[in-house]
Amino acid sequence: MSTKSHAKRARSQPFLGRHDHTAAPSSGEAVLLASEGSPRTARCQLWADVRQPPPRWAPPVAAVGRLLQPEAAASLEIQVAVSVHRLRKRLAELCKASGLKAKLRPLTFERWRFASKWEEGVESSTPKDTGKKRKRSAGSGSSSHPVLPGHVPAGRTCSADKDLATELQRQGLSPEAASTAAREVRRESVRLAAEVCKTAHRVSSGKSLPAPLLKARFHRHSVDLVSGIHLVKLSRAAYGKLALLHRRYAKPEERAPPELKVEPPEQEEGAAEELEASLGEAGQDGSLESRARLPLHLRLFAMLLRYKTLRGHGFQAAVGRPVWQALQQRLALGCECFASPLNAFLPAFGSAFPDVDAPFGSRGSFFQFRPLSGSFAANPPFVHSIMDAMADHLTDLLQASASKGDHALSFAVFVPGWRECAGFAALAASPFLKRLVLVAADDHGFADGASHQRQDPYRRSPYDTACFFLQTDKAARQWPVTDEVEAELRRAFAQCLPSAAAELRQGVSSRAKGKQKAGSKPTSKLEGSTSSRKATTARPTGKKK
């Protein structure tokens, strides 16, 4: 089944009920670690050495030459943030005016927005029977912004709008009022998307856009980037990581001065990141060094504001560092299919928003990847339509690799144990499946999606995690997933449980330990509802995801 047919099926049968989750029994790995005296880390650096070169077989970095200038990108992102805020507020006002007494449930808007953008992506990749060239006018809706849902083509029913109306009915609106609210929020979104696309087109055509007044404030453990009422935060370590990535992937004229050299690999871990943060802090006085870092800060601001605007931290939860380290050593993992600059661990990654992620090394959408060989990891948004499409794309890639010779192509895939998901079933039935490892919910955690700005890196997983290893025959010989690999994987996942102190800060009781009753309402990537969504991506590529 093709990616398009999978997406169509997932949208025609939206998931609005209880997950048929696997509920695997605990292996006791976490208890064993505790008995050995192994501490659960409260603080740690979640990414690898960013100076590590990407593998030669990694997809190319998204083109940075076609991006807007840093000043224009930051200004436009502020307009996007304001537009999304107005749209979210408009939906709440419509529901209140129609008699909804309670507040909208968390992520109601985010799920609709994500589902709408996913449908637009499927629609835009579907060839028209007439063969006529499609118009690109922003007002027509055929021109798409990566964040704001646009126009629905005439004669086509939008499943995302239908799902939104259904969800609003479940929250207390009448069928007529729910349909009206969904229709009105779509109309407003089309208008706002057209305005943003018009601004972007004017800038691309050479018109100037006033640069935002941006201030960088460095603190003991964190960095703030502020423009007017808009504030984004990140840790000093995350700032250093992103500065190093920007130094490698941004346009030469945007990079920090040549004298700010990256320290040699034998330096203590994290030293290069702290050096970048210290240099940034030292240049807050309007000096030449400070002005030289302005392009970096504008790019950081635009990227961080994008993810903050979409409230997508819950959808950005990632596999923890111990798991990456174990599989990188065993399977030579080199590229993440679904990630962001904020949570990427491997030296190459695909992501949802190359328009703001490319200066930090994004390879673009995973669904544009066409590798014949290499060792990849896929930790997609926990949304049915995305997991279904991912399973199809993986099958296409593996079949193409196998049919064109003896190539080594391998995928380590991490998805929740949701047996009602077509993607889960497709992965389990794949002829390329070499091993399935089911990790019980009690036995593991994930890296928090907001770990770039929070003290505690890990959170417990509310569901089992299914680890599928799909490989061509040559890949299975080159990187065999043995019993020893499975044992190391289980131990690594257990090391990602949050510390006892972190659980207290997170408000997790020692008895509940992050468990979620069957049928309770999901609220994040780890707890994600599905008929819509990485509520953070228009055309997801990534994690983590």
Side-chain angles (χ1 to χ4, degrees):
M1 183 177 290
S2 69
T3 296
K4 301 181 186 64
S5 59
H6 250 323
K8 182 178 180 181
R9 176 180 58 184
R11 300 304 309 143
S12 63
Q13 298 178 359
F15 176 79
L16 295 173
R18 297 182 177 183
H19 293 298
D20 178 19
H21 55 86
T22 48
S26 173
S27 66
E29 190 68 46
V31 176
L32 178 61
L33 278 177
S35 67
E36 294 174 353
S38 300
R40 283 146 51 184
T41 306
R43 294 185 182 182
C44 71
Q45 183 170 294
L46 291 177
W47 50 82
D49 186 346
V50 296
R51 297 161 295 179
Q52 181 180 356
R56 289 179 295 178
W57 44 259
V61 177
V64 295
R66 295 195 295 267
L67 299 178
L68 298 178
Q69 292 299 311
E71 297 82 1
S75 293
L76 188 65
E77 204 57 41
I78 290 175
Q79 183 180 352
V80 172
V82 171
S83 298
V84 172
H85 173 74
R86 289 176 178 173
L87 197 57
R88 187 182 287 112
K89 183 178 179 181
R90 178 60 175 156
L91 177 60
E93 291 173 345
L94 288 166
C95 293
K96 184 177 181 180
S98 298
L100 186 65
K101 296 181 180 180
K103 289 186 178 181
L104 282 176
R105 291 173 182 168
L107 297 185
T108 298
F109 171 81
E110 283 70 25
R111 291 173 186 138
W112 168 79
R113 190 213 64 81
F114 174 79
S116 298
K117 296 308 301 180
W118 174 248
E119 283 191 272
E120 284 182 34
V122 172
E123 175 68 19
S124 64
S125 63
T126 304
K128 299 298 181 182
D129 295 335
T130 61
K132 295 180 181 179
K133 187 176 180 179
R134 301 178 68 187
K135 296 181 180 180
R136 302 299 298 171
S137 166
S140 69
S142 56
S143 178
S144 176
H145 186 268
V147 171
L148 292 161
H151 179 71
V152 178
R156 188 171 70 85
T157 301
C158 181
S159 297
D161 291 356
K162 292 175 60 179
D163 292 349
L164 175 60
T166 300
E167 175 62 22
L168 294 178
Q169 289 181 56
R170 296 178 68 196
Q171 296 187 39
L173 289 186
S174 67
E176 182 180 357
S179 297
T180 299
R183 185 168 56 253
E184 288 299 318
V185 77
R186 167 68 64 175
R187 181 179 296 126
E188 180 68 4
S189 182
V190 169
R191 185 185 70 81
L192 292 170
E195 290 180 356
V196 172
C197 289
K198 183 178 180 180
T199 302
H201 179 72
R202 289 171 53 198
V203 174
S204 299
S205 300
K207 299 291 182 66
S208 62
L209 192 63
L213 179 60
L214 183 66
K215 297 180 180 179
R217 299 170 181 168
F218 287 78
H219 308 291
R220 183 179 179 183
H221 297 297
S222 62
V223 179
D224 297 344
L225 297 173
V226 187
S227 180
I229 63 171
H230 301 282
L231 164 69
V232 294
K233 299 180 70 70
L234 69 167
S235 67
R236 289 176 67 96
Y239 174 92
K241 168 201 174 181
L242 293 166
L244 290 171
L245 290 175
H246 185 267
R247 188 185 299 281
R248 173 181 290 178
Y249 294 112
K251 292 185 289 187
E253 60 268 26
E254 293 184 20
R255 299 172 189 170
E259 61 268 27
L260 305 184
K261 296 181 180 179
V262 177
E263 293 297 315
E266 59 268 18
Q267 283 287 319
E268 182 181 353
E269 183 178 57
E273 288 87 339
E274 179 53 36
L275 172 63
E276 288 283 4
S278 298
L279 291 169
E281 182 177 16
Q284 296 185 84
D285 54 1
S287 62
L288 178 62
E289 289 80 6
S290 175
R291 293 195 297 273
R293 284 197 165 235
L294 182 58
L296 163 64
H297 292 166
L298 289 166
R299 293 295 188 193
L300 277 173
F301 178 78
M303 184 267 292
L304 289 163
L305 185 58
R306 170 69 59 85
Y307 288 99
K308 179 181 178 180
T309 296
L310 301 177
R311 300 182 180 179
H313 293 154
F315 291 108
Q316 291 290 325
V319 171
R321 176 176 179 140
V323 177
W324 288 130
Q325 290 176 319
L327 295 183
Q328 193 174 27
Q329 181 178 4
R330 286 287 194 166
L331 304 182
L333 292 181
C335 181
E336 296 178 61
C337 300
F338 298 89
S340 79
L342 301 175
N343 63 16
F345 178 90
L346 300 181
F349 66 93
S351 77
F353 299 119
D355 61 319
V356 292
D357 295 344
F360 304 99
S362 171
R363 264 64 181 170
S365 170
F366 162 68
F367 295 105
Q368 303 301 318
F369 289 6
R370 294 293 184 273
L372 287 177
S373 61
S375 184
F376 296 79
N379 179 210
F382 292 172
V383 178
H384 284 54
S385 58
I386 307 304
M387 292 189 288
D388 293 352
M390 176 201 66
D392 284 334
H393 191 50
L394 290 177
T395 299
D396 292 343
L397 293 176
L398 289 162
Q399 288 177 342
S401 177
S403 65
K404 294 181 180 179
D406 191 20
H407 297 286
L409 182 60
S410 176
F411 291 95
V413 184
F414 308 97
V415 295
W418 294 346
R419 290 177 293 196
E420 82 280 355
C421 177
F424 184 97
L427 293 171
S430 172
F432 296 97
L433 179 64
K434 305 305 179 184
R435 185 177 286 249
L436 166 59
V437 178
L438 192 61
V439 184
D442 279 349
D443 290 343
H444 72 297
F446 275 79
D448 191 300
S451 57
H452 64 280
Q453 64 183 35
R454 290 181 181 167
Q455 174 182 356
D456 303 317
Y458 296 121
R459 287 184 177 272
R460 283 183 175 267
S461 174
Y463 295 105
D464 297 348
T465 292
C467 310
F468 294 91
F469 295 91
L470 284 73
Q471 300 175 315
T472 60
D473 290 340
K474 183 176 182 179
R477 296 192 301 270
Q478 187 168 336
W479 306 301
V481 186
T482 62
D483 292 342
E484 290 77 12
V485 172
E486 177 175 338
E488 290 181 16
L489 177 65
R490 291 185 180 279
R491 185 178 183 86
F493 262 116
Q495 291 172 342
C496 298
L497 286 165
S499 67
E503 288 193 311
L504 287 175
R505 284 189 291 268
Q506 294 165 5
V508 180
S509 70
S510 59
R511 185 170 185 81
K513 294 195 175 185
K515 288 184 181 179
Q516 183 173 358
K517 294 181 180 180
S520 59
K521 297 202 71 61
T523 58
S524 73
K525 171 180 176 178
L526 298 181
E527 307 166 3
S529 169
T530 58
S531 65
S532 9
R533 190 218 172 160
K534 206 174 192 181
T536 59
T537 62
R539 299 194 62 181
T541 51
K543 230 146 15 72
K544 319 189 289 7
K545 166 175 342 239

